[in-house]
Amino acid sequence: MDDALLRSLTPSVLAVLVRRGADFAAAEDAVQDALVEAVRGWPADPPRDPKGWLIAVAWRRFLDATRADASRRRREDRVDDEPAPGLAPAADDTLQLYFLCAHPSLTPSSAVALTLRAVGGLTTRQIARAYLVPEATMAQRISRAKRTVSDVRFDRPGDVATVLRVLYLVFNEGYSGDVDLAAEAIRLTRQLAAAIDHPEVSGLLALMLLHHARRAARTAPDGRLVPLAEQDRGRWDTASIAEGVGILQAALARDRLGEFQAQAAIAALHADAPAAEETDWVQIVEWYDELARLTDSPVVRLNRVVAVGEADGPRAGLAALATVDNALPRHTAVAAYLHERDGDLERAARLYADAAHKATNLAERDHLTRQAARLNTRG
C-alpha cells in the first residue's frame, strides 16, 4: 500500500466532495472511510484510477451517511449525481481546498489549524505544539472550525493572507523533519504565485526556496542537527538559492514590504555569505527591526537577539535578551549560546542542559544535550 499516494490524493478527493455539496465534516468522514477501504482492498486488487476510485467510494459513503440522517434527507436527491465510471480529472484541487479552509467565517488561527489537520495531514498534537497550546485545546478548536464551515461552499473563498500563513506553517512542519511536507508546501506556493500577482506570495516562495536549499546540510549522517554556522555550504542547493534570490529581488522592487519578504531577505543574507564568519549581521539586524515592526512578534524579537549578539557582541545580545519574555521556546538556548560567547562556560553548560530538558523536538534536544556535554568536558 502506497501511503504517499493516499496522502497526495486525499485533498483532491475531499475538495470534490465539498464542491458537490457535502458539508466539510461529513466529507472528511466519508474520505476517511474510503481510505480505510483502500488500505484493505488495494493490495489485492489495485484500481486502474486510484483518484476516481476514492471519489466514487467516498461519495457513496457520504450518501449512505446522508440517508441515515433524517434531518438531512433533503440531500438524497444527490444520489443521481454520482458520476459515470471513468478516469477522474487530473486537476489539483489542493490549493482550492486551502482557500476553503481559510474561509472568512473562521478566525485566522482556526483556519490555519483546520487546514493543517484536514489538508496538511498533521496530527492534532503537532498542530498544538506549533501553537504552544494543550492538545485538548487544539482538538476543540479544530472541531469548532469543522462545524463552522460545515455548510460552506467554494463561492466564498478565504483570504490570501490566511492561506499564506497556512502554507508557511505546513512548510515549517515539513522542514523540521517530523513530517515531510516541505516540498508539497513549495509546490502549492508556486501554484499560488502563478495565479496571484502579489509580492508577499513571491516573498513566501522565496523564503521557502532559500530555507529548503539548506536542507541537505541541516543534519549529519547520524541524524544530528547541524547549526547554520557549522553547515557544509557546499551541500547547499545553489540553483534554489539563485531562484529564491531572484524572486525576492523582484518582489522587493515593488516596494510593498511584508513579513515574508523580510524573512526571505534575512535568509538571502545567510545564503549569500561564503562562510559563517562573513555573514552580514548588521544588515540582518536591520531586517529583523523591519520584521519586528511588521509583526510585533516575540519570536522575531528573540531571533533578533541572536543577530544583535553576532553584530555587536554577546554582552549586547544579553542586554537585548533581558527585554524578551523568558517563557518563549528557545529563550534558554539563546541565553546559553550568548553566555558561552561571553566566556561563562559553566553557566552556559547549565543553560544548555536546561534548554535540552525543555525542547520538544528530539533532534534539537540531542543537539542541546551535546552542547552541554561539550562544555562540561572542557571545564
Side-chain angles (χ1 to χ4, degrees):
M1 172 56 55
D2 190 342
D3 291 339
L5 174 62
L6 289 178
R7 178 188 289 274
S8 68
L9 292 176
T10 298
S12 287
V13 176
L14 181 56
V16 169
L17 265 64
V18 172
R19 249 200 333 268
R20 288 181 183 172
D23 69 66
F24 193 94
E28 189 179 33
D29 289 342
V31 171
Q32 291 303 315
D33 287 344
L35 292 174
V36 170
E37 190 166 333
V39 170
R40 291 173 178 168
W42 284 13
D45 185 21
R48 184 168 63 94
D49 175 22
K51 179 179 176 182
W53 187 97
L54 285 171
I55 291 172
V57 172
W59 185 245
R60 286 197 296 270
R61 293 293 178 272
F62 165 71
L63 292 176
D64 289 344
T66 299
R67 294 190 192 98
D69 188 344
S71 68
R72 298 178 182 177
R73 287 189 181 279
R74 65 183 182 278
R75 296 182 181 173
E76 289 187 351
D77 58 1
R78 298 194 183 105
V79 173
D80 296 331
D81 292 337
E82 185 170 350
L87 291 175
D92 185 351
D93 296 303
T94 307
L95 191 59
Q96 194 173 21
L97 194 56
Y98 268 65
F99 274 93
L100 173 66
C101 292
H103 195 267
S105 59
L106 295 174
T107 65
S109 60
S110 294
V112 170
L114 177 61
T115 313
L116 290 174
R117 182 71 186 91
V119 190
L122 275 65
T123 65
T124 303
R125 177 175 297 178
Q126 290 168 327
I127 302 168
R129 189 172 68 236
Y131 273 86
L132 308 176
V133 299
E135 184 176 354
T137 301
M138 183 53 65
Q140 292 176 355
R141 184 179 299 176
I142 292 172
S143 294
R144 286 196 299 269
K146 287 181 181 179
R147 290 194 298 270
T148 300
V149 300
S150 62
D151 294 321
V152 164
R153 299 294 178 263
F154 278 102
D155 57 351
R156 290 186 64 214
D159 64 278
V160 174
T162 302
V163 173
L164 290 178
R165 177 63 52 195
V166 172
L167 288 167
Y168 177 60
L169 289 176
V170 170
F171 174 82
N172 280 344
E173 189 64 40
Y175 191 58
S176 73
D178 294 331
V179 180
D180 190 9
L181 296 170
E184 174 69 358
I186 291 174
R187 183 183 71 83
L188 292 172
T189 306
R190 284 190 188 279
Q191 285 189 10
L192 189 60
I196 299 176
D197 182 21
H198 193 290
E200 270 296 82
V201 178
S202 298
L204 178 59
L205 179 57
L207 176 63
M208 289 179 174
L209 290 169
L210 290 164
H211 278 306
H212 204 58
R214 303 200 301 257
R215 187 168 190 176
R218 291 187 75 246
T219 54
D222 61 1
R224 287 185 298 108
L225 187 66
V226 181
L228 177 60
E230 300 172 18
Q231 289 177 14
D232 178 1
R233 299 185 178 219
R235 299 184 65 195
W236 290 1
D237 183 347
T238 54
S240 291
I241 291 173
E243 182 185 5
V245 169
I247 292 171
L248 173 63
Q249 289 175 338
L252 291 175
R254 301 177 65 176
D255 198 24
R256 291 168 57 193
L257 184 64
E259 62 173 295
F260 292 120
Q261 294 170 75
Q263 288 190 58
I266 293 168
L269 286 167
H270 284 297
D272 188 54
E277 57 271 17
E278 298 179 60
T279 303
D280 190 343
W281 287 106
V282 173
Q283 270 204 71
I284 289 177
V285 171
E286 292 174 354
W287 276 111
Y288 271 123
D289 288 339
E290 289 286 348
L291 190 55
R293 180 182 60 81
L294 289 166
T295 65
D296 192 31
S297 164
V299 174
V300 168
R301 290 196 291 272
L302 181 61
N303 290 337
R304 179 185 178 278
V305 166
V306 177
V308 169
E310 298 290 350
D312 301 326
R315 295 286 175 89
L318 287 167
L321 185 64
T323 67
V324 177
D325 183 2
N326 61 12
L328 282 172
R330 294 186 59 249
H331 186 284
T332 306
V334 170
Y337 175 74
L338 292 172
H339 280 292
E340 180 184 358
R341 291 272 323 278
D342 197 38
D344 190 346
L345 303 188
E346 183 178 348
R347 186 172 185 181
R350 289 199 307 270
L351 288 168
Y352 275 130
D354 188 21
H357 179 72
K358 297 175 180 177
T360 57
N361 180 281
L362 290 177
E364 184 179 358
R365 183 180 305 167
D366 176 71
H367 169 71
L368 293 168
T369 300
R370 289 174 183 271
Q371 295 292 80
R374 173 179 57 83
L375 294 185
N376 283 327
T377 301
R378 184 181 298 180

